[in-house]
Amino acid sequence: MGATISNLSDSGGGESAANRPGLGDIPEACIASVFLYLTPPEICNLAPLSRAFRGAASSDVVWETKLPKNYQELIGLLLPPEKYDGLSKKDVFAVLSRPIKFDDGNKEVWVDRWSGRVCMSISAKGMAITGIDDRRYWNWILTDESRFQVVAYLLQIWWFEVDGIVRFPLPPDTYTLSFRLHLGKFSKRLGRRVSHFEHTHGWEIKPVKFELTTSDGQQVTTEYFLDDKEHDDTIGNLKRGCWIDYNVGEFVVTDSEPATEVHFSMKQIDCTHSKGGLCVDSVSIIPRCVRERRRRSVSFKQA
């Protein structure tokens, strides 16, 4: 396509500038046909090229293919009618691509801008945490490092258990579920981020058990040591002082009706030892392809 556009703008061939074909001569329907195979950001980047490109980039036919199959059900469930009545498909995509909170603000859902796939996040506030109301064990920390602006911080406990449930009409896809955790407490000092580990202990003794089950009988169980058993003086402890997404597993949705119910948990209930110094932020449910794209992006930046 690049070579073709370049040829259209060449001055050779003896034709006058007025008679040479240009981008404006490409029919809007042809451009729209090409846009069906592009991502939403790519479409928006090409829109300024000409009036025909702008028209195709606003076409309901194009944007209908970028939206989730059950987008009408989703937007009706998440927003009042006055927020979406009369909107074009492009504007509906723009509305859904911004995180929309529900369930008292403890859960949020959005459409991935690149793929049009549905993603979800559940705050620690939306989970059942053993001992959360006892300040001897847990505290809430306000922070801009969480999309929900708050995380749960564990001081010390023997019976560690976090459970959650979400029922939502996820469109057909393969989804991954993960917990976002941070070993140690963090703060800012003189503009720099500082981590504190005075309460961090017990996570290297036995692994934490993670589970997910779905309403149609799918089940996944996995285990992780949240702390390193050995400390390397050269590289330190790679699990402390940073946010880590612990992948629990995958589940498949074949139909948005009935709504999929997902139960998830993490626990370490061996009461022979205490554990503490852990921040619990959220659980994410995202399509496998979105997760893989993010991992490739991180790997590319680190290369």
Side-chain angles (χ1 to χ4, degrees):
M1 182 175 178
T4 303
I5 292 176
S6 176
N7 291 338
L8 289 175
S9 62
D10 281 346
S11 58
E15 293 184 85
S16 66
N19 295 327
R20 287 199 305 271
L23 290 176
D25 297 308
I26 303 176
E28 184 177 312
C30 292
I31 299 171
S33 297
V34 174
F35 281 0
L36 294 176
Y37 299 94
L38 302 183
T39 66
E42 290 169 340
I43 293 171
C44 293
N45 288 337
L46 291 172
L49 288 178
S50 74
R51 180 179 297 178
F53 273 78
R54 285 194 297 273
S58 299
S59 168
D60 279 352
V61 174
V62 170
W63 287 97
E64 182 93 29
T65 66
K66 309 306 175 185
L67 287 162
K69 291 183 178 180
N70 65 335
Y71 75 91
Q72 293 177 323
E73 179 184 10
L74 294 178
I75 201 167
L77 176 66
L78 297 167
L79 295 171
E82 59 269 20
K83 293 286 188 180
Y84 59 86
D85 278 349
L87 292 180
S88 67
K89 298 297 190 295
K90 179 181 179 181
D91 289 336
V92 169
F93 187 93
V95 169
L96 289 177
S97 66
R98 294 188 289 268
I100 302 173
K101 286 184 167 53
F102 65 103
D103 191 15
D104 297 324
N106 294 326
K107 300 180 178 73
E108 65 180 28
V109 65
W110 67 96
V111 168
D112 177 64
R113 293 174 185 268
W114 285 90
S115 65
R117 309 294 182 93
V118 173
C119 305
M120 180 183 294
S121 187
I122 300 101
S123 168
K125 284 271 189 180
M127 306 179 205
I129 302 176
T130 301
I132 191 62
D133 295 323
D134 193 326
R135 292 297 175 261
R136 294 175 300 173
Y137 304 133
W138 290 89
N139 287 326
W140 292 105
I141 299 177
L142 299 177
T143 173
D144 58 6
E145 294 192 15
S146 167
R147 66 188 312 125
F148 296 99
Q149 305 300 308
V150 65
V151 299
Y153 177 65
L154 175 63
L155 296 166
Q156 177 174 284
I157 206 167
W158 279 261
W159 187 288
F160 173 74
E161 185 169 8
V162 178
D163 297 277
I165 182 173
V166 61
R167 182 179 178 83
F168 195 80
L170 292 167
D173 212 330
T174 299
Y175 295 88
T176 67
L177 185 146
S178 59
F179 279 82
R180 187 171 187 254
L181 309 175
H182 183 289
L183 269 185
K185 192 175 182 179
F186 53 88
S187 62
K188 286 189 176 180
R189 183 182 302 167
L190 299 177
R192 297 182 60 188
R193 186 182 190 275
V194 180
S195 295
H196 312 274
F197 307 108
E198 62 268 24
H199 300 129
T200 305
H201 69 284
W203 304 109
E204 79 287 356
I205 299 174
K206 289 191 175 180
V208 174
K209 183 179 181 180
F210 295 83
E211 291 184 295
L212 80 82
T213 59
T214 65
S215 48
D216 62 355
Q218 299 175 72
Q219 184 172 0
V220 181
T221 301
T222 189
E223 294 183 343
Y224 293 101
F225 282 95
L226 301 190
D227 203 1
D228 288 329
K229 292 184 177 182
E230 298 180 359
H231 182 90
D232 190 307
D233 290 333
T234 303
I235 62 175
N237 188 320
L238 297 180
K239 293 185 177 180
R240 293 191 174 197
C242 60
W243 289 104
I244 297 178
D245 289 321
Y246 287 90
N247 184 32
V248 180
E250 297 182 347
F251 63 95
V252 178
V253 176
T254 57
D255 198 335
S256 59
E257 293 184 2
T260 303
E261 187 171 276
V262 183
H263 296 251
F264 48 88
S265 67
M266 63 174 173
K267 59 186 70 174
Q268 216 292 13
I269 55 177
D270 185 342
C271 295
T272 60
H273 67 283
S274 65
K275 37 266 175 188
L278 178 72
C279 290
V280 180
D281 175 28
S282 59
V283 162
S284 66
I285 298 175
I286 61 175
R288 177 205 288 167
C289 66
V290 176
R291 175 182 173 85
E292 291 175 348
R293 192 190 74 238
R294 290 179 178 177
R295 294 180 66 178
R296 288 195 301 268
S297 177
V298 171
S299 299
F300 177 78
K301 291 178 181 179
Q302 292 176 344

